Amino acid sequence: MKKIPGLAGRVRVGAPDASLTPVSGVVAVAELVGRLGVTAALDDAVGRIKQRDRGLSGGEFLVAVAQAQMCGAQFWVGLDRRRADTAGEALSAVPTPAASTAVELASRFGPAQVAGIEEGIGEIACRVVGLLPAARRAVLRTGGATIDLDGTDVEVYGAKKEGIAYSYKGARAGARTWPRGRRPGW
């Protein structure tokens, strides 16, 4: 360990402490996965992806990959980085597979398993809605859904232009939806 002068001993540079994790939010994810039964719902919908019942199930694999993505992994090698975080791994909902194992498991997902993922996510969404108060459930079930397939907003500088409103980011913008026959030439 080496002290940095001028910082009154508050900062030390040295080997990382394995009992600490930079992704402590993984505890909240593990709690949510457990309370909603995410792994079981995905296992039921996806089915078996291996002949022998060892290691991760399909649902556990999907949760591990999703959890790694939430913790910043962008590629398969990010799973190996997650595994190296001893404290974070101990707090995780499921064990994180090695990158090579993950690639092998991912190759076993065909069209039926992908459809199962969608079915499992639907089941999980139903469980979430079921936990809401009755009044909120009623509002969600009677209201229409807005699906924004292209979330690109075109920022503008004029309050009187047609189709202008404040975006969710707080900028005055116009969405790429135009009245019939009046699309600008861009």
Side-chain angles (χ1 to χ4, degrees):
M1 290 282 178
K2 182 178 177 183
K3 286 188 177 187
I4 298 175
L7 292 177
R10 291 180 294 174
V11 175
R12 291 183 184 216
V13 178
D17 186 350
S19 68
L20 302 176
T21 179
V23 290
S24 59
V26 75
V27 174
V29 173
E31 185 71 19
L32 184 68
V33 166
R35 286 188 183 205
L36 293 177
V38 172
T39 304
L42 290 171
D43 279 339
D44 289 345
V46 169
R48 294 178 63 124
I49 59 169
K50 301 183 298 184
Q51 289 182 347
R52 289 183 277 176
D53 192 18
R54 297 187 322 184
L56 295 176
S57 66
E60 290 171 329
F61 167 69
L62 293 168
V63 168
V65 171
Q67 182 175 263
Q69 286 179 326
M70 286 184 254
C71 293
Q74 296 178 348
F75 303 98
W76 290 119
V77 72
L79 294 171
D80 291 333
R81 291 187 193 112
R82 277 283 311 128
R83 286 169 54 101
D85 177 10
T86 309
E89 191 67 12
L91 299 171
S92 295
V94 295
T96 305
S100 56
T101 303
V103 170
E104 171 63 31
L105 291 175
S107 70
R108 298 177 184 193
F109 280 74
Q113 287 75 26
V114 172
I117 293 171
E118 293 177 6
E119 180 185 328
I121 291 172
E123 171 61 29
I124 295 162
C126 287
R127 291 177 185 182
V128 170
V129 171
L131 294 173
L132 295 173
R136 181 68 180 139
R137 278 196 313 264
V139 168
L140 291 174
R141 288 186 173 137
T142 58
T146 301
I147 301 173
D148 187 3
L149 298 178
D150 179 9
T152 306
D153 291 325
V154 180
E155 192 167 352
V156 297
Y157 302 97
K160 298 190 181 207
K161 293 183 179 178
E162 186 178 342
I164 303 305
Y166 284 99
S167 70
Y168 67 94
K169 293 180 181 177
R172 186 174 297 184
R176 289 190 181 180
T177 55
W178 307 99
R180 205 181 329 173
R182 297 201 45 210
R183 183 171 182 213
W186 41 288

